[in-house]
Amino acid sequence: MDNSNDRRAGATAESTPDRLLDGLRTELDRVDARLLDDVRDRLRICARIAHLKQRHAIPMLQPGRMQVVHDRAETYAHRNAMSSEFLHSLYALLIAEACRVEDLIIDGTGSASAELRETRT
């Protein structure tokens, strides 16, 4: 009895999940690239905000604004069946980095501009 057809069918079935996985990973890589670009763009906007705050002597820390961002993330989490704790943690990291960049600019102790140059990679 020749099982070569069964083996070929099995090989195809085994390679299909690998191809599907590769495709999904490629899709995930594209999302990650957009996510990283969006984080960079967010920090660039924060740098522009810091320059404005510096020029007009506006305090760097804006707790009300931070709460608005966290509230919006929580609402988004609930609407999209996501963990609000995860999004809170994510935004805590994003806000902490924004504060670091703003501090560098407002205090004049470093050059955040070099870190956030306008080139695209």
Side-chain angles (χ1 to χ4, degrees):
M1 178 162 151
D2 182 13
N3 291 337
S4 60
N5 285 338
D6 292 342
R7 280 193 298 264
R8 280 195 299 268
T12 302
E14 288 173 7
S15 61
T16 299
D18 289 339
R19 282 197 309 260
L20 292 171
L21 186 58
D22 287 344
L24 290 170
R25 286 179 174 157
T26 298
E27 191 177 335
L28 186 60
D29 290 346
R30 283 193 300 267
V31 170
D32 284 346
R34 287 193 315 264
L35 178 62
L36 291 170
D37 284 346
D38 285 345
V39 169
R40 179 208 53 218
D41 292 347
R42 187 181 198 284
L43 290 172
R44 285 180 178 165
I45 294 167
C46 290
R48 291 169 43 207
I49 289 169
H51 286 292
L52 181 67
K53 287 177 179 179
Q54 182 187 44
R55 281 193 306 275
H56 297 282
I58 299 169
M60 190 278 289
L61 193 59
Q62 302 284 314
R65 173 64 183 161
M66 291 188 325
Q67 189 60 50
V68 167
V69 171
H70 279 295
D71 290 347
R72 185 176 53 228
E74 184 173 354
T75 299
Y76 185 90
H78 291 302
R79 287 183 180 159
N80 291 279
M82 296 175 69
S83 165
S84 58
E85 293 82 12
F86 165 72
L87 287 184
H88 182 83
S89 296
L90 177 62
Y91 270 93
L93 287 170
L94 290 170
I95 290 168
E97 180 61 8
C99 289
R100 185 190 71 81
V101 168
E102 286 190 29
D103 278 338
L104 288 173
I105 293 168
I106 292 172
D107 295 342
T109 58
S111 175
S113 299
E115 296 176 43
L116 303 170
R117 62 185 182 276
E118 293 291 329
T119 59
R120 290 211 176 244
T121 55

